Amino acid sequence: MAELQQQMTSGQKHYVRSSFSEGATKLGISILQTAKQPHRIFQHGRYFGIPAETKLQKDCVKRILDTPKIKDLLANRPSQTWPDLEQMAAMPKGSLGWCVHRRLEKLGISFLVDQSQASESQTDEEFVAIRAARLHDIHHTILGLPITVAGEAAATAFYASSGSMPYQIGVLSSLMLRGAYAPSERRLIWDGIGFGIAVGQQVPELFSPRWEEGWEKTIIDWQDELGLSELLKASPFQDEFETIYGLNLE
């Protein structure tokens, strides 16, 4: 027994930790603190970026960049200049641009991601990272997801199930744990997660569609084109479409 303990101790001394394991404790802090106070995610979530710096994350990103649709998008990048909110408001009712503006207006949000970040000299990785952040509002709009813990859980579950990236898995873990602190929210959070996973299993990604070339296309047409229409009928947030956009999915 003493010999076994000595071997274990000796082995531990020579164990080389990965970059992921070195930050696991800090990541755990962000997961727990954000689950307890999700409205302070920008403060508590400062360690969610740790998995994003790992080799595993970089391998996942590389795999995504190598898919045919993403390679095609990168070879012919869409315009990085988006309409401003006034231009979106003037678009036809029910169009993607009109709905994005309507959603932001209802939420009292008067900005989109800073367009100055979208320089023409970006690497592929920079372009993907910034575009992914900007598309988050479009994804919330097209899927009818509220800005609540449950709504963000649905969005993150979609990203995690379709991309399996460590960064998204960390954020999702926190949202899953929220029900332990707020039992009254638990059911809707898990319903949202289930919905996000269901979408992710049917729709591989929502990054490659050229949203920038279809601002005036109706979100109903977008949903039909992307194969989302039937999936949305099982959404736990269906009333979002009627409440915010005045649309009925039936």
Side-chain angles (χ1 to χ4, degrees):
M1 186 66 175
E3 182 179 353
L4 177 60
Q5 290 178 332
Q6 184 177 5
Q7 290 176 353
M8 291 175 64
T9 303
S10 175
Q12 288 172 349
K13 288 180 180 178
H14 295 91
Y15 178 71
V16 179
R17 293 188 176 191
S18 69
S19 57
F20 208 160
S21 61
E22 288 174 354
T25 300
K26 289 182 177 180
L27 177 59
I29 290 172
S30 276
I31 289 173
L32 290 168
Q33 289 182 329
T34 302
K36 187 175 183 179
Q37 296 179 308
H39 60 288
R40 295 186 176 178
I41 186 171
F42 293 111
Q43 173 187 343
H44 296 325
R46 59 190 179 279
Y47 298 130
F48 281 136
I50 289 174
E53 300 303 318
T54 62
K55 181 179 182 300
L56 182 59
Q57 174 85 9
K58 291 178 172 59
D59 288 345
C60 288
V61 172
K62 184 179 184 304
R63 183 170 64 245
I64 291 170
L65 293 181
D66 285 341
T67 59
K69 287 186 178 180
I70 304 299
K71 289 175 74 171
D72 179 68
L73 183 80
L74 294 174
N76 184 20
R77 296 181 183 181
S79 172
Q80 298 187 70
T81 301
W82 286 17
D84 60 30
L85 292 178
E86 288 186 1
Q87 292 171 320
M88 288 184 177
M91 291 179 181
K93 182 178 179 179
S95 65
L96 176 63
W98 184 90
C99 288
V100 169
H101 172 267
R102 183 74 172 165
R103 175 177 171 274
L104 296 178
E105 183 181 51
K106 283 278 189 179
L107 294 170
I109 300 174
S110 59
F111 63 88
L112 293 168
V113 174
D114 187 357
Q115 301 214 57
S116 66
Q117 298 178 22
S119 69
E120 297 300 323
S121 59
Q122 294 169 344
T123 64
D124 285 348
E125 289 77 9
E126 290 171 338
F127 173 81
V128 167
I130 292 174
R131 188 169 188 265
R134 300 178 82 192
L135 290 184
H136 189 66
D137 282 311
I138 288 181
H139 295 161
H140 265 271
T141 301
I142 207 77
L143 295 173
L145 305 179
I147 296 187
T148 60
V149 173
E152 294 298 340
T156 308
F158 166 72
Y159 296 140
S161 65
S162 57
S164 296
M165 289 192 284
Y167 170 77
Q168 300 293 352
I169 300 296
V171 177
L172 182 59
S173 297
S174 181
L175 300 172
M176 292 168 68
L177 189 59
R178 173 62 182 167
Y181 290 102
S184 63
E185 298 178 32
R186 179 183 59 81
R187 176 61 184 270
L188 187 54
I189 289 172
W190 283 98
D191 284 349
I193 290 171
F195 173 65
I197 292 173
V199 174
Q201 297 303 301
Q202 295 294 319
V203 182
E205 46 84 20
L206 290 174
F207 183 83
S208 65
R210 294 181 175 272
W211 306 100
E212 299 89 343
E213 297 170 7
W215 290 112
E216 298 197 4
K217 182 192 297 186
T218 70
I219 63 168
I220 299 297
D221 287 344
W222 271 114
Q223 290 161 353
D224 288 343
E225 181 180 313
L226 296 168
L228 292 168
S229 301
E230 288 301 313
L231 289 167
L232 287 169
K233 291 179 182 178
S235 168
F237 313 108
Q238 287 188 56
D239 58 345
E240 284 290 302
F241 286 100
E242 185 169 356
T243 301
I244 296 183
Y245 315 122
L247 300 176
N248 191 325
L249 298 182
E250 295 296 331

